[in-house]
Amino acid sequence: MEVGVFSTQPYDREPLERANRERGHRLSFLEPRLGPDTAELGAQFEAVCVFVNDRLSRPVLERLCAGKTRLVALRCAGFNNVDLAAARELGLTVVRVPAYSPHAVAEHAVGLILMLNRKLHRAYARVREANFSLAGLCGFDLYGRQVGVLGTGAIGAAFCQIMRGFGCTVVAADPLPNPACLELGVQYVSAAELFQSSDIISLHCPLTAETRHIIGAESLPLMKRGVMIINTGRGALIDSSAVVAALKSGHVGYLGIDVYEEEENLFFRDLSSEIVQDDVFMRLLTFPNVVVTAHQGFFTREALANIADTTIANISAFEHGAGELFRVA
Ligand code: NAI
């Protein structure tokens, strides 16, 4: 098939070309994001291959559909950036990569916890300036602490397993309890109970109308003073302005985020010589107890290879009407 690969980064090409070697799809690597301004370009391809910050709204899907496009192949797990109802109405097939390496994201979430707790970001900078003082670097034992996990699918379950290994008590909220987590000794509670009793809260649920701003003005007051919040899910799970207020008051003690609700204007680009206009984001960067990474949870060699393999296999399965198709619409 003719495939337009939008939002291509240099590291996307090699794994996709390798996975495609024996399949023979004609891949066109395009740097721009797919959105209203580039839908015309997308409409020239039978399939568009997109990532987390491409925007497939109804008008974009309508434009694609009016052209040659029949397949939207997401090379990621989340699909909150596609209007699925519109895709169904238009008869467009949407596929994704459901689980390419849950460990990659879970391990990154744990990295954020360790960094914030033991203040490794500050220690690193200090030691490089020959400042060997420990003042302000005191952390806490993770052993025995309660971790609350919102969403125990593939990534949440991998995260639960690691935190159980640290000797943490793990509670979780998920409408579909995961038997693997129950076996690990994870206790399922309501989201409100999880917020009230956890020392660390980690978000691993998809972004939906129900979970949008699940961390916000309503839930933050329920939490323990000094709580640590980790978000490697999707940015809009957190109401950023509400969390800035809670950081300023000291109610939130630590924030580690790999995703941000307005990240599409920021992440995956070098803006180091530009003036960033997002004041909420820039305020977040000023807190000593906030660590931000730019959506790199998925970014391991294993995950990139799996993403490429499943994406190309999805495209082939669609083309030939045979083989497993990881369909979301
Ligand atoms: P999954 O589909 O395996 O698991 C999601 C779980 O969330 C399911 O068990 C589901 O029942 C649960 N859930 C749904 N609504 C919920 C709610 N209201 N409250 C609590 N739980 C709820 O998905 P997976 O692979 O574990 O990924 C989770 C999310 O992580 C993705 O939707 C995506 O947004 C994000 N992600 C982030 C990456 C990164 O690089 N930072 C990479 C991959 C995924």
mmCIF file of all heavy atoms in Angstrom, residues 185-221:
data_model
loop_
_atom_site.group_PDB
_atom_site.id
_atom_site.type_symbol
_atom_site.label_atom_id
_atom_site.label_comp_id
_atom_site.label_asym_id
_atom_site.label_seq_id
_atom_site.Cartn_x
_atom_site.Cartn_y
_atom_site.Cartn_z
ATOM 1 N N GLY A 185 -1.113 -9.344 44.596
ATOM 2 C CA GLY A 185 -1.518 -8.792 45.893
ATOM 3 C C GLY A 185 -2.009 -7.362 45.799
ATOM 4 O O GLY A 185 -2.091 -6.661 46.807
ATOM 5 N N VAL A 186 -2.318 -6.923 44.590
ATOM 6 C CA VAL A 186 -2.857 -5.566 44.418
ATOM 7 C C VAL A 186 -4.316 -5.566 44.867
ATOM 8 O O VAL A 186 -5.072 -6.473 44.518
ATOM 9 C CB VAL A 186 -2.763 -5.130 42.937
ATOM 10 C CG1 VAL A 186 -3.457 -3.786 42.707
ATOM 11 C CG2 VAL A 186 -1.307 -5.075 42.487
ATOM 12 N N GLN A 187 -4.672 -4.537 45.635
ATOM 13 C CA GLN A 187 -6.056 -4.458 46.114
ATOM 14 C C GLN A 187 -6.807 -3.406 45.307
ATOM 15 O O GLN A 187 -6.319 -2.277 45.152
ATOM 16 C CB GLN A 187 -6.018 -4.056 47.594
ATOM 17 C CG GLN A 187 -7.299 -4.326 48.323
ATOM 18 C CD GLN A 187 -7.327 -3.596 49.665
ATOM 19 O OE1 GLN A 187 -6.283 -3.229 50.215
ATOM 20 N NE2 GLN A 187 -8.517 -3.374 50.171
ATOM 21 N N TYR A 188 -7.977 -3.779 44.787
ATOM 22 C CA TYR A 188 -8.779 -2.820 44.019
ATOM 23 C C TYR A 188 -9.677 -2.016 44.955
ATOM 24 O O TYR A 188 -10.321 -2.583 45.838
ATOM 25 C CB TYR A 188 -9.598 -3.532 42.941
ATOM 26 C CG TYR A 188 -8.724 -3.866 41.748
ATOM 27 C CD1 TYR A 188 -8.018 -5.061 41.698
ATOM 28 C CD2 TYR A 188 -8.560 -2.955 40.700
ATOM 29 C CE1 TYR A 188 -7.188 -5.354 40.619
ATOM 30 C CE2 TYR A 188 -7.733 -3.235 39.626
ATOM 31 C CZ TYR A 188 -7.056 -4.441 39.585
ATOM 32 O OH TYR A 188 -6.223 -4.708 38.535
ATOM 33 N N VAL A 189 -9.656 -0.697 44.757
ATOM 34 C CA VAL A 189 -10.466 0.211 45.573
ATOM 35 C C VAL A 189 -11.122 1.215 44.631
ATOM 36 O O VAL A 189 -10.823 1.222 43.430
ATOM 37 C CB VAL A 189 -9.577 0.951 46.613
ATOM 38 C CG1 VAL A 189 -8.960 -0.020 47.607
ATOM 39 C CG2 VAL A 189 -8.475 1.762 45.924
ATOM 40 N N SER A 190 -11.965 2.092 45.182
ATOM 41 C CA SER A 190 -12.537 3.146 44.318
ATOM 42 C C SER A 190 -11.460 4.199 44.058
ATOM 43 O O SER A 190 -10.479 4.304 44.818
ATOM 44 C CB SER A 190 -13.731 3.795 45.019
ATOM 45 O OG SER A 190 -13.269 4.512 46.149
ATOM 46 N N ALA A 191 -11.665 5.003 43.011
ATOM 47 C CA ALA A 191 -10.685 6.061 42.715
ATOM 48 C C ALA A 191 -10.569 7.006 43.918
ATOM 49 O O ALA A 191 -9.463 7.426 44.277
ATOM 50 C CB ALA A 191 -11.113 6.816 41.453
ATOM 51 N N ALA A 192 -11.713 7.305 44.567
ATOM 52 C CA ALA A 192 -11.673 8.239 45.706
ATOM 53 C C ALA A 192 -10.825 7.660 46.842
ATOM 54 O O ALA A 192 -9.995 8.362 47.441
ATOM 55 C CB ALA A 192 -13.096 8.527 46.186
ATOM 56 N N GLU A 193 -11.002 6.365 47.128
ATOM 57 C CA GLU A 193 -10.183 5.729 48.190
ATOM 58 C C GLU A 193 -8.709 5.768 47.834
ATOM 59 O O GLU A 193 -7.856 5.980 48.693
ATOM 60 C CB GLU A 193 -10.608 4.271 48.372
ATOM 61 C CG GLU A 193 -11.816 4.074 49.241
ATOM 62 C CD GLU A 193 -12.206 2.599 49.263
ATOM 63 O OE1 GLU A 193 -11.540 1.817 49.962
ATOM 64 O OE2 GLU A 193 -13.159 2.247 48.533
ATOM 65 N N LEU A 194 -8.438 5.497 46.550
ATOM 66 C CA LEU A 194 -7.041 5.506 46.076
ATOM 67 C C LEU A 194 -6.433 6.899 46.307
ATOM 68 O O LEU A 194 -5.317 7.022 46.826
ATOM 69 C CB LEU A 194 -7.040 5.132 44.595
ATOM 70 C CG LEU A 194 -5.709 4.992 43.857
ATOM 71 C CD1 LEU A 194 -5.860 3.998 42.705
ATOM 72 C CD2 LEU A 194 -5.191 6.297 43.324
ATOM 73 N N PHE A 195 -7.187 7.940 45.939
ATOM 74 C CA PHE A 195 -6.663 9.303 46.095
ATOM 75 C C PHE A 195 -6.398 9.614 47.572
ATOM 76 O O PHE A 195 -5.417 10.239 47.927
ATOM 77 C CB PHE A 195 -7.656 10.332 45.526
ATOM 78 C CG PHE A 195 -7.819 10.264 44.028
ATOM 79 C CD1 PHE A 195 -9.063 10.491 43.437
ATOM 80 C CD2 PHE A 195 -6.735 9.976 43.207
ATOM 81 C CE1 PHE A 195 -9.211 10.437 42.051
ATOM 82 C CE2 PHE A 195 -6.874 9.919 41.814
ATOM 83 C CZ PHE A 195 -8.117 10.147 41.248
ATOM 84 N N GLN A 196 -7.323 9.151 48.454
ATOM 85 C CA GLN A 196 -7.213 9.507 49.872
ATOM 86 C C GLN A 196 -6.031 8.835 50.562
ATOM 87 O O GLN A 196 -5.448 9.405 51.480
ATOM 88 C CB GLN A 196 -8.501 9.108 50.601
ATOM 89 C CG GLN A 196 -9.615 10.126 50.404
ATOM 90 C CD GLN A 196 -10.998 9.531 50.659
ATOM 91 O OE1 GLN A 196 -11.130 8.380 51.048
ATOM 92 N NE2 GLN A 196 -12.016 10.328 50.421
ATOM 93 N N SER A 197 -5.693 7.617 50.129
ATOM 94 C CA SER A 197 -4.773 6.820 50.947
ATOM 95 C C SER A 197 -3.379 6.619 50.358
ATOM 96 O O SER A 197 -2.512 6.059 51.017
ATOM 97 C CB SER A 197 -5.413 5.448 51.212
ATOM 98 O OG SER A 197 -5.692 4.802 49.982
ATOM 99 N N SER A 198 -3.138 7.092 49.138
ATOM 100 C CA SER A 198 -1.857 6.755 48.492
ATOM 101 C C SER A 198 -0.784 7.832 48.708
ATOM 102 O O SER A 198 -1.068 9.027 48.716
ATOM 103 C CB SER A 198 -2.065 6.557 46.990
ATOM 104 O OG SER A 198 -2.949 5.480 46.779
ATOM 105 N N ASP A 199 0.458 7.369 48.848
ATOM 106 C CA ASP A 199 1.596 8.291 48.935
ATOM 107 C C ASP A 199 2.064 8.687 47.537
ATOM 108 O O ASP A 199 2.593 9.778 47.333
ATOM 109 C CB ASP A 199 2.767 7.602 49.670
ATOM 110 C CG ASP A 199 2.364 7.165 51.062
ATOM 111 O OD1 ASP A 199 1.990 8.046 51.863
ATOM 112 O OD2 ASP A 199 2.389 5.946 51.347
ATOM 113 N N ILE A 200 1.918 7.742 46.620
ATOM 114 C CA ILE A 200 2.310 7.975 45.220
ATOM 115 C C ILE A 200 1.122 7.556 44.359
ATOM 116 O O ILE A 200 0.539 6.491 44.586
ATOM 117 C CB ILE A 200 3.541 7.123 44.845
ATOM 118 C CG1 ILE A 200 4.735 7.497 45.728
ATOM 119 C CG2 ILE A 200 3.885 7.259 43.359
ATOM 120 C CD1 ILE A 200 5.934 6.565 45.582
ATOM 121 N N ILE A 201 0.763 8.375 43.373
ATOM 122 C CA ILE A 201 -0.342 8.036 42.460
ATOM 123 C C ILE A 201 0.214 8.029 41.038
ATOM 124 O O ILE A 201 0.850 9.005 40.616
ATOM 125 C CB ILE A 201 -1.490 9.064 42.590
ATOM 126 C CG1 ILE A 201 -2.105 8.976 43.999
ATOM 127 C CG2 ILE A 201 -2.559 8.838 41.516
ATOM 128 C CD1 ILE A 201 -3.053 10.114 44.343
ATOM 129 N N SER A 202 0.015 6.939 40.322
ATOM 130 C CA SER A 202 0.555 6.829 38.964
ATOM 131 C C SER A 202 -0.587 6.546 37.993
ATOM 132 O O SER A 202 -1.420 5.666 38.238
ATOM 133 C CB SER A 202 1.613 5.719 38.916
ATOM 134 O OG SER A 202 2.366 5.812 37.726
ATOM 135 N N LEU A 203 -0.618 7.293 36.893
ATOM 136 C CA LEU A 203 -1.754 7.235 35.955
ATOM 137 C C LEU A 203 -1.435 6.374 34.743
ATOM 138 O O LEU A 203 -0.490 6.667 34.000
ATOM 139 C CB LEU A 203 -2.106 8.652 35.496
ATOM 140 C CG LEU A 203 -2.285 9.702 36.609
ATOM 141 C CD1 LEU A 203 -2.607 11.056 36.004
ATOM 142 C CD2 LEU A 203 -3.382 9.273 37.574
ATOM 143 N N HIS A 204 -2.228 5.330 34.550
ATOM 144 C CA HIS A 204 -2.010 4.416 33.421
ATOM 145 C C HIS A 204 -3.324 4.068 32.721
ATOM 146 O O HIS A 204 -3.457 2.989 32.144
ATOM 147 C CB HIS A 204 -1.307 3.145 33.902
ATOM 148 C CG HIS A 204 0.018 3.432 34.532
ATOM 149 N ND1 HIS A 204 1.103 3.816 33.776
ATOM 150 C CD2 HIS A 204 0.410 3.462 35.822
ATOM 151 C CE1 HIS A 204 2.130 4.038 34.597
ATOM 152 N NE2 HIS A 204 1.734 3.845 35.834
ATOM 153 N N CYS A 205 -4.306 4.976 32.807
ATOM 154 C CA CYS A 205 -5.585 4.741 32.121
ATOM 155 C C CYS A 205 -5.602 5.569 30.836
ATOM 156 O O CYS A 205 -4.840 6.517 30.691
ATOM 157 C CB CYS A 205 -6.753 5.126 33.036
ATOM 158 S SG CYS A 205 -6.641 6.785 33.676
ATOM 159 N N PRO A 206 -6.454 5.201 29.883
ATOM 160 C CA PRO A 206 -6.517 5.998 28.648
ATOM 161 C C PRO A 206 -7.192 7.342 28.903
ATOM 162 O O PRO A 206 -7.890 7.504 29.917
ATOM 163 C CB PRO A 206 -7.364 5.128 27.720
ATOM 164 C CG PRO A 206 -8.124 4.215 28.593
ATOM 165 C CD PRO A 206 -7.395 4.072 29.890
ATOM 166 N N LEU A 207 -6.994 8.279 27.999
ATOM 167 C CA LEU A 207 -7.704 9.556 28.073
ATOM 168 C C LEU A 207 -9.058 9.399 27.405
ATOM 169 O O LEU A 207 -9.130 9.095 26.210
ATOM 170 C CB LEU A 207 -6.881 10.648 27.370
ATOM 171 C CG LEU A 207 -7.561 12.012 27.287
ATOM 172 C CD1 LEU A 207 -7.833 12.580 28.674
ATOM 173 C CD2 LEU A 207 -6.706 12.985 26.469
ATOM 174 N N THR A 208 -10.111 9.572 28.185
ATOM 175 C CA THR A 208 -11.481 9.500 27.667
ATOM 176 C C THR A 208 -12.239 10.692 28.255
ATOM 177 O O THR A 208 -11.691 11.427 29.095
ATOM 178 C CB THR A 208 -12.190 8.203 28.136
ATOM 179 O OG1 THR A 208 -12.249 8.237 29.575
ATOM 180 C CG2 THR A 208 -11.438 6.952 27.703
ATOM 181 N N ALA A 209 -13.500 10.839 27.846
ATOM 182 C CA ALA A 209 -14.296 11.933 28.420
ATOM 183 C C ALA A 209 -14.360 11.767 29.945
ATOM 184 O O ALA A 209 -14.344 12.745 30.695
ATOM 185 C CB ALA A 209 -15.688 11.908 27.812
ATOM 186 N N GLU A 210 -14.391 10.517 30.396
ATOM 187 C CA GLU A 210 -14.520 10.236 31.835
ATOM 188 C C GLU A 210 -13.225 10.522 32.607
ATOM 189 O O GLU A 210 -13.257 10.962 33.757
ATOM 190 C CB GLU A 210 -14.890 8.754 31.999
ATOM 191 C CG GLU A 210 -15.330 8.364 33.386
ATOM 192 C CD GLU A 210 -15.278 6.849 33.545
ATOM 193 O OE1 GLU A 210 -15.339 6.129 32.525
ATOM 194 O OE2 GLU A 210 -15.166 6.400 34.691
ATOM 195 N N THR A 211 -12.079 10.268 31.966
ATOM 196 C CA THR A 211 -10.809 10.410 32.700
ATOM 197 C C THR A 211 -10.144 11.775 32.491
ATOM 198 O O THR A 211 -9.136 12.062 33.138
ATOM 199 C CB THR A 211 -9.798 9.306 32.297
ATOM 200 O OG1 THR A 211 -9.531 9.414 30.894
ATOM 201 C CG2 THR A 211 -10.318 7.921 32.599
ATOM 202 N N ARG A 212 -10.679 12.582 31.598
ATOM 203 C CA ARG A 212 -10.111 13.919 31.366
ATOM 204 C C ARG A 212 -10.105 14.707 32.682
ATOM 205 O O ARG A 212 -11.104 14.771 33.381
ATOM 206 C CB ARG A 212 -10.974 14.627 30.313
ATOM 207 C CG ARG A 212 -10.451 15.951 29.924
ATOM 208 C CD ARG A 212 -11.308 16.609 28.858
ATOM 209 N NE ARG A 212 -10.628 17.818 28.470
ATOM 210 C CZ ARG A 212 -9.622 17.839 27.598
ATOM 211 N NH1 ARG A 212 -9.254 16.743 26.981
ATOM 212 N NH2 ARG A 212 -8.995 18.962 27.331
ATOM 213 N N HIS A 213 -8.983 15.265 33.051
ATOM 214 C CA HIS A 213 -8.814 16.034 34.292
ATOM 215 C C HIS A 213 -9.212 15.232 35.528
ATOM 216 O O HIS A 213 -9.756 15.782 36.490
ATOM 217 C CB HIS A 213 -9.575 17.362 34.231
ATOM 218 C CG HIS A 213 -8.936 18.356 33.305
ATOM 219 N ND1 HIS A 213 -9.379 19.627 33.125
ATOM 220 C CD2 HIS A 213 -7.845 18.242 32.487
ATOM 221 C CE1 HIS A 213 -8.610 20.265 32.243
ATOM 222 N NE2 HIS A 213 -7.674 19.425 31.841
ATOM 223 N N ILE A 214 -8.940 13.932 35.497
ATOM 224 C CA ILE A 214 -9.259 13.097 36.667
ATOM 225 C C ILE A 214 -8.423 13.547 37.867
ATOM 226 O O ILE A 214 -8.825 13.383 39.020
ATOM 227 C CB ILE A 214 -9.077 11.589 36.327
ATOM 228 C CG1 ILE A 214 -9.759 10.718 37.369
ATOM 229 C CG2 ILE A 214 -7.621 11.192 36.136
ATOM 230 C CD1 ILE A 214 -10.053 9.307 36.906
ATOM 231 N N ILE A 215 -7.261 14.145 37.561
ATOM 232 C CA ILE A 215 -6.490 14.835 38.606
ATOM 233 C C ILE A 215 -6.776 16.320 38.418
ATOM 234 O O ILE A 215 -6.319 16.932 37.432
ATOM 235 C CB ILE A 215 -4.966 14.564 38.463
ATOM 236 C CG1 ILE A 215 -4.675 13.063 38.474
ATOM 237 C CG2 ILE A 215 -4.178 15.310 39.537
ATOM 238 C CD1 ILE A 215 -4.973 12.334 39.757
ATOM 239 N N GLY A 216 -7.576 16.875 39.324
ATOM 240 C CA GLY A 216 -7.975 18.265 39.164
ATOM 241 C C GLY A 216 -8.569 18.797 40.461
ATOM 242 O O GLY A 216 -8.366 18.231 41.544
ATOM 243 N N ALA A 217 -9.352 19.867 40.301
ATOM 244 C CA ALA A 217 -9.854 20.582 41.481
ATOM 245 C C ALA A 217 -10.681 19.693 42.407
ATOM 246 O O ALA A 217 -10.734 19.921 43.620
ATOM 247 C CB ALA A 217 -10.679 21.776 41.020
ATOM 248 N N GLU A 218 -11.339 18.661 41.840
ATOM 249 C CA GLU A 218 -12.167 17.792 42.697
ATOM 250 C C GLU A 218 -11.345 16.753 43.420
ATOM 251 O O GLU A 218 -11.558 16.475 44.604
ATOM 252 C CB GLU A 218 -13.210 17.065 41.840
ATOM 253 C CG GLU A 218 -14.460 17.873 41.657
ATOM 254 C CD GLU A 218 -15.477 17.154 40.788
ATOM 255 O OE1 GLU A 218 -15.582 15.921 40.873
ATOM 256 O OE2 GLU A 218 -16.145 17.861 40.028
ATOM 257 N N SER A 219 -10.396 16.132 42.710
ATOM 258 C CA SER A 219 -9.656 15.013 43.317
ATOM 259 C C SER A 219 -8.466 15.479 44.152
ATOM 260 O O SER A 219 -8.126 14.835 45.166
ATOM 261 C CB SER A 219 -9.177 14.043 42.227
ATOM 262 O OG SER A 219 -8.405 14.728 41.260
ATOM 263 N N LEU A 220 -7.833 16.586 43.799
ATOM 264 C CA LEU A 220 -6.608 17.000 44.506
ATOM 265 C C LEU A 220 -6.842 17.193 46.010
ATOM 266 O O LEU A 220 -6.030 16.718 46.819
ATOM 267 C CB LEU A 220 -6.015 18.267 43.873
ATOM 268 C CG LEU A 220 -5.287 18.019 42.536
ATOM 269 C CD1 LEU A 220 -5.093 19.320 41.753
ATOM 270 C CD2 LEU A 220 -3.935 17.336 42.765
ATOM 271 N N PRO A 221 -7.958 17.843 46.424
ATOM 272 C CA PRO A 221 -8.147 18.040 47.868
ATOM 273 C C PRO A 221 -8.292 16.722 48.649
ATOM 274 O O PRO A 221 -8.075 16.700 49.868
ATOM 275 C CB PRO A 221 -9.445 18.858 47.958
ATOM 276 C CG PRO A 221 -9.611 19.472 46.614
ATOM 277 C CD PRO A 221 -9.011 18.526 45.648
#
